[in-house]
Amino acid sequence: MFIKVNKDKCTGCETCLSSCPYDAIIVKDGKADITELCQLCRSCLSVCPEGAIFEVEEEADKKEKAQGSGVWVFAEQRDGELAGVSFELLGAGRRLAEKLGGEVSAVLFGGSAAGAEELIRWGADKVYHCDDGMFGAFNDEPYAGLLAELITQYRPEIVLAGATPIGRSFFPRVAARLKTGLTADCTSLDIDGETKNLLQVRPAFGGNIMATILCPHTRPQMATVRPRVMKRGEYDASRKGEVVKIRADNVKSRTKVIETIREVSEMSVNLQEANIIVSGGRGMGGEKGFQLLFDLAEALGGCVGASRAAVDEGWIPYRHQVGQTGKTVGPKLYIACGISGAVQHLVGMQSSDIIVAINKNPDAPIFSVATYGIVGDLFEILPLLTKKIKEVKGA
Amino acid sequence: MKIVVCVKQVPDTAEVRINPETNTLIRDGVESIINPYDMHAIEAGLQIREKTGGKVTVLTMGPPQAENALREAISMGVDDAVLLTDRSFAGSDTWATAYALSKAIEHLGADVILCGKQAIDGDTAQVGPEIAEFLDIPHIAYIRKIEDVKEGRIVVQRLMDEGYDLMESSLPVLLTVVRELNVPRMPSLKGKMAAKKAGIKKLTAADIGAEESKLGLRGSPTQVRNIFAPEAKRDRKIIDGTNEEIIDALVKELTGLKCL
Ligand SMILES: Cc1cc2nc3c(=O)[nH]c(=O)nc-3n(C[C@H](O)[C@H](O)[C@H](O)COP(=O)(O)OP(=O)(O)OC[C@H]3O[C@@H](n4cnc5c(N)ncnc54)[C@H](O)[C@@H]3O)c2cc1C
Ligand SMILES: Nc1ncnc2c1ncn2[C@@H]1O[C@H](COP(=O)(O)O)[C@@H](O)[C@H]1O
């Protein structure tokens, strides 16, 4: 498929220019022209007042798509423990499978037999489990090699992983090897009623824009899914399923994990899985200020996040950074303290369920996304809040 | 040591917005920059060169105006700049982009290939690992420190959620880097002069021996169906009163919402 301009109809009015996210439309000799930058997003189709922009189907568009059936989810484990996103993927996988017909299977590399059973209770009909020692720690080549092998053998229609450091690192290798598409960091998945294609919605341009991506002709359709946006499946302790043991005979690895070093202090900083995040910005004034946040996070049982300004000041390590160049988070509760709310910060946290903002400047943009806004001095408010929460929780 | 750094020219996305009424982009005055992560990749390339000797080449695939990004990289001190540009690359998704870049890298030769963790326009973080797969070489993503690099072997720290992994790889290898790795240097005066005069090498699809069917739209398994503005949401509420009143009210609300 490609997009064309009917030069007879085009009046050169330039309306279409600003509709293009990719700067792909230029005006040449008084007429609009679509350049090679076009990504086929179709944004321009509807804006032309003359109806001069249209799409052209090619033979290739009609070609038979590869077959496959069933939804697979990659169940991530770290240190033998299943990552929460695995259960969310099973929930999402079930909903897709209901619309498509077919089974939901989980793939578990490393991890335990008990973990495999747990995946069944969370909604997997089948679990492909390889407990070979080389899968204990995450290593791209063996993970990619074995998953590609399994997909080639069993031909699922859809394969999902968490958009975590692990999923986002090795899924691209698998997709490249299988010559199929991969959509990164999806926040919503659905099935197109007509074509049965997977509709993959994801943020782009730092979250300012959402895009729906299709993988119409190749199978499987692959996506990584942002943690904490999909609802978990139903847990059923009596659910039965099948565990298929997998052997890893011909996987190679040219990289080696020498050592895994944990840097989590008392407070875990696995922000993407946190239910509650207490985040601070330049307004915290320094490391001492951040101590107030650690106190509150501890009282709440949450993690500490930060704006880039605070990270750049060296008050807290980069791994705590939330935003466009940090982590994207979606906790139940996000408390932003002394953060102005620059768009680069907002894109990383605005999908949180409830946002509380504490800022002394009533015009700070953070208030535009806050469920509850508190205009005041955080140095007064935070200690009181921590104390109050301890009281409530202690009771 | 032959080092290739892949850089992408991106719009300064902070300013790209969508007009929710017309579903079109508001882009007035949006500048193009080198993808911020790629700046760290350039710096890493220069630092490896300082240690092992060799040559740093920056490579970008993009329209002719992406040359500006390459000149900026030259001003930081890279030896060579290559612009991969051809009409047949039109509409490439990450698969087709990685394929084309991998063919170009094959053509150039490389021991270490550096990419940014992700590009801030697409935010996919897929091109780096996909290039490695096409080249059939290993990759390690999210490098926050290069501990040691010598002939045939590299040791790095890979940033993970709970800490980091100390990783070893054979060469050639592809690394994607995070901001923690280093602070990109400023261009020197000499570098700026060099950037003005430098010749930019151009490569086309034919030059790198790429298969037509794997390029551009035809080679791209994914398609963008449509774009739209993120929905604005939530009821907002400013809590007023004395500090004590505010906190009581807040804790009550949060308890009601089962947040505590
Ligand atoms: C390409 C790019 C990528 C970026 N990526 C990110 C990113 O990933 N994450 C990110 O966060 N930023 C990012 N930024 C930076 C972003 O633009 C902002 O500069 C940054 O978020 C500002 O941080 P801040 O809100 O902590 O600081 P400021 O903007 O300085 O805000 C501090 C706030 O604290 C308030 N305050 C001060 N004292 C008190 C007090 N005693 N009590 C209450 N309130 C107080 C002030 O009113 C102010 O609103 C990026 C920028 C660029 C260009
Ligand atoms: N067109 C391109 N030209 C050169 N390098 C690119 C290009 N697209 C992506 N890259 C590299 O791949 C990284 C990840 O990009 P992305 O997968 O688009 O998020 C970037 O930081 C660049 O190093």
Side-chain angles (χ1 to χ4, degrees):
Chain A
M1 189 194 88
F2 54 97
I3 296 190
K4 270 187 94 158
V5 178
N6 180 334
K7 306 273 168 177
D8 296 333
K9 284 192 187 168
C10 176
T11 61
C13 71
E14 303 195 355
T15 308
C16 52
L17 294 193
S18 68
S19 74
C20 179
Y22 303 100
D23 275 330
I25 311 180
I26 55 169
V27 173
K28 212 165 80 187
D29 308 326
K31 306 277 178 187
D33 194 26
I34 315 275
T35 71
E36 63 269 22
L37 294 178
C38 173
Q39 301 281 322
L40 287 179
C41 74
R42 292 188 169 95
S43 307
C44 55
L45 291 181
S46 58
V47 301
C48 177
E50 313 299 329
I53 308 182
F54 61 103
E55 51 184 311
V56 184
E57 281 221 6
E58 285 178 293
E59 262 324 293
D61 298 331
K62 294 175 203 138
K63 75 182 167 207
E64 200 68 18
K65 69 183 162 211
Q67 288 304 305
S69 78
V71 180
W72 278 22
V73 310
F74 179 79
E76 180 174 323
Q77 57 83 21
R78 301 181 205 132
D79 287 334
E81 195 136 327
L82 290 168
V85 68
S86 311
F87 311 129
E88 296 160 18
L89 293 174
L90 282 171
R94 271 252 82 84
R95 287 187 288 278
L96 296 174
E98 265 155 35
K99 296 193 179 168
L100 284 171
E103 292 191 330
V104 179
S105 307
V107 179
L108 176 62
F109 292 167
S112 61
E117 294 294 334
E118 188 73 356
L119 291 167
I120 290 172
R121 288 181 217 119
W122 279 104
D125 299 308
K126 219 179 244 161
V127 180
Y128 297 96
H129 183 200
C130 178
D131 58 6
D132 190 299
M134 82 188 295
F135 291 93
F138 170 63
N139 200 356
D140 288 277
E141 280 189 281
Y143 271 55
L146 187 58
L147 183 62
E149 223 180 280
L150 290 174
I151 292 173
T152 309
Q153 187 177 350
Y154 294 100
R155 308 210 143 274
E157 194 171 1
I158 293 173
V159 184
L160 310 175
T164 62
I166 292 176
R168 293 188 78 169
S169 180
F170 91 98
F171 253 48
R173 278 199 96 105
V174 178
R177 191 168 307 180
L178 300 175
K179 193 181 187 329
T180 192
L182 171 61
T183 306
D185 204 22
C186 296
T187 52
S188 146
L189 297 172
D190 204 350
I191 301 292
D192 184 294
E194 209 175 303
T195 62
K196 300 290 176 205
N197 283 324
L198 181 64
L199 302 172
Q200 309 165 90
V201 176
R202 68 178 304 264
F205 289 94
N208 288 324
I209 290 163
M210 306 298 290
T212 310
I213 312 285
L214 295 177
C215 176
H217 305 304
T218 57
R219 291 293 178 269
Q221 304 163 90
M222 296 180 68
T224 60
V225 178
R226 184 176 289 188
R228 302 204 69 83
V229 294
M230 304 280 165
K231 264 233 277 303
R232 289 186 176 199
E234 207 128 305
Y235 185 83
D236 176 355
S238 63
R239 218 165 170 282
K240 294 277 177 294
E242 185 191 352
V243 178
V244 184
K245 286 268 174 212
I246 300 296
R247 285 172 47 136
D249 291 329
N250 29 11
V251 290
K252 61 174 177 184
S253 183
R254 289 163 290 191
T255 56
K256 194 171 98 193
V257 184
I258 303 173
E259 198 185 350
T260 294
I261 294 101
R262 313 202 135 248
E263 272 188 336
V264 271
S265 43
E266 328 80 79
M267 207 62 61
S268 156
V269 291
N270 191 351
L271 289 176
Q272 288 188 313
E273 301 225 336
N275 258 318
I276 297 181
I277 295 174
V278 185
S279 219
R282 202 193 313 271
M284 302 310 300
E287 270 174 66
K288 274 216 190 98
F290 265 89
Q291 194 50 51
L292 296 175
L293 297 182
F294 278 101
D295 293 345
L296 178 59
E298 194 183 329
L300 286 165
C303 293
V304 174
S307 75
R308 172 160 151 189
V311 171
D312 285 350
E313 293 280 358
W315 300 337
I316 185 156
Y318 167 69
R319 70 172 74 254
H320 292 263
Q321 183 171 317
V322 171
Q324 183 181 316
T325 43
K327 288 193 176 141
T328 305
V329 300
K332 219 173 152 193
L333 174 62
Y334 189 94
I335 307 186
C337 310
I339 293 176
S340 59
V343 57
Q344 297 92 338
H345 187 79
L346 299 186
V347 298
M349 45 64 77
Q350 63 193 2
S351 65
S352 309
D353 290 349
I354 292 164
I355 296 171
V356 177
I358 308 176
N359 196 307
K360 65 180 181 192
N361 173 8
D363 297 323
I366 188 77
F367 288 122
S368 71
V369 299
T371 329
Y372 301 108
I374 297 173
V375 181
D377 185 350
L378 60 91
F379 293 102
E380 293 169 19
I381 291 169
L382 283 178
L384 287 171
L385 182 58
T386 305
K387 190 164 149 254
K388 179 85 188 172
I389 283 174
K390 280 189 184 149
E391 275 170 33
V392 173
K393 286 216 157 183
Chain B
M1 193 80 58
K2 272 179 127 171
I3 302 152
V4 172
V5 185
C6 297
V7 305
K8 186 175 188 190
Q9 194 179 42
V10 295
D12 197 341
T13 60
E15 298 150 51
V16 179
R17 299 233 120 191
I18 206 162
N19 177 336
E21 263 129 54
T22 56
N23 237 7
T24 57
L25 241 19
I26 311 166
R27 266 181 322 187
D28 297 336
V30 175
E31 272 177 69
S32 284
I33 54 171
I34 293 186
N35 179 36
Y37 289 101
D38 302 351
M39 298 292 282
H40 297 271
I42 296 171
E43 177 62 34
L46 295 172
Q47 286 185 14
I48 294 175
R49 183 186 67 188
E50 279 155 17
K51 235 171 120 181
T52 65
K55 206 171 119 182
V56 181
T57 303
V58 278
L59 167 66
T60 192
M61 170 175 138
Q65 60 266 34
E67 206 182 299
N68 296 337
L70 295 176
R71 291 198 188 277
E72 192 181 337
I74 293 171
S75 74
M76 289 170 72
V78 307
D79 303 283
D80 252 331
V82 177
L83 174 62
L84 184 59
T85 187
D86 195 306
R87 241 199 115 89
S88 63
F89 299 146
S92 295
D93 72 353
T94 63
W95 197 96
T97 302
Y99 170 72
L101 286 169
S102 72
K103 292 305 277 186
I105 293 167
E106 243 168 45
H107 177 86
L108 297 168
D111 302 300
V112 176
I113 302 150
L114 293 155
C115 286
K117 177 187 125 185
Q118 67 192 57
I120 61 166
D121 53 353
D123 291 326
T124 79
Q126 289 175 183
V127 168
E130 289 184 343
I131 292 174
E133 177 63 28
F134 282 118
L135 292 173
D136 190 19
I137 62 169
H139 83 271
I140 306 177
Y142 335 114
I143 300 310
R144 64 162 215 182
K145 189 166 182 215
I146 297 176
E147 298 250 354
D148 189 28
V149 49
K150 49 174 176 266
E151 271 325 307
R153 183 174 168 276
I154 192 165
V155 178
V156 297
Q157 290 184 8
R158 162 176 79 185
L159 184 69
M160 296 296 276
D161 274 338
E162 302 91 351
Y164 65 91
D165 293 336
L166 195 61
M167 304 280 298
E168 182 187 311
S169 177
S170 59
L171 297 186
V173 70
L174 184 145
L175 307 174
T176 79
V177 309
V178 298
R179 292 191 49 205
E180 251 183 340
L181 179 63
N182 55 39
V183 181
R185 67 194 64 186
M186 301 298 270
S188 64
L189 200 62
K190 203 169 123 229
K192 282 187 183 157
M193 305 283 283
K196 276 205 196 107
K197 286 184 288 181
I200 304 276
K201 190 153 137 204
K202 295 211 170 79
L203 291 177
T204 63
D207 295 334
I208 56 172
E211 286 173 53
E212 198 75 33
S213 69
K214 295 184 174 172
L215 297 175
L217 278 179
R218 277 173 70 197
S220 296
T222 63
Q223 290 177 1
V224 180
R225 189 165 100 149
N226 64 322
I227 60 164
F228 55 96
E231 53 187 278
K233 53 163 192 185
R234 79 179 85 247
D235 313 323
R236 290 172 225 131
K237 197 160 159 184
I238 293 282
I239 306 182
D240 270 333
T242 65
N243 283 341
E244 283 72 17
E245 285 164 1
I246 288 173
I247 281 164
D248 281 346
L250 178 65
V251 170
K252 209 163 136 202
E253 293 275 357
L254 294 181
T255 313
L257 291 161
K258 302 207 171 12
C259 270
L260 301 182

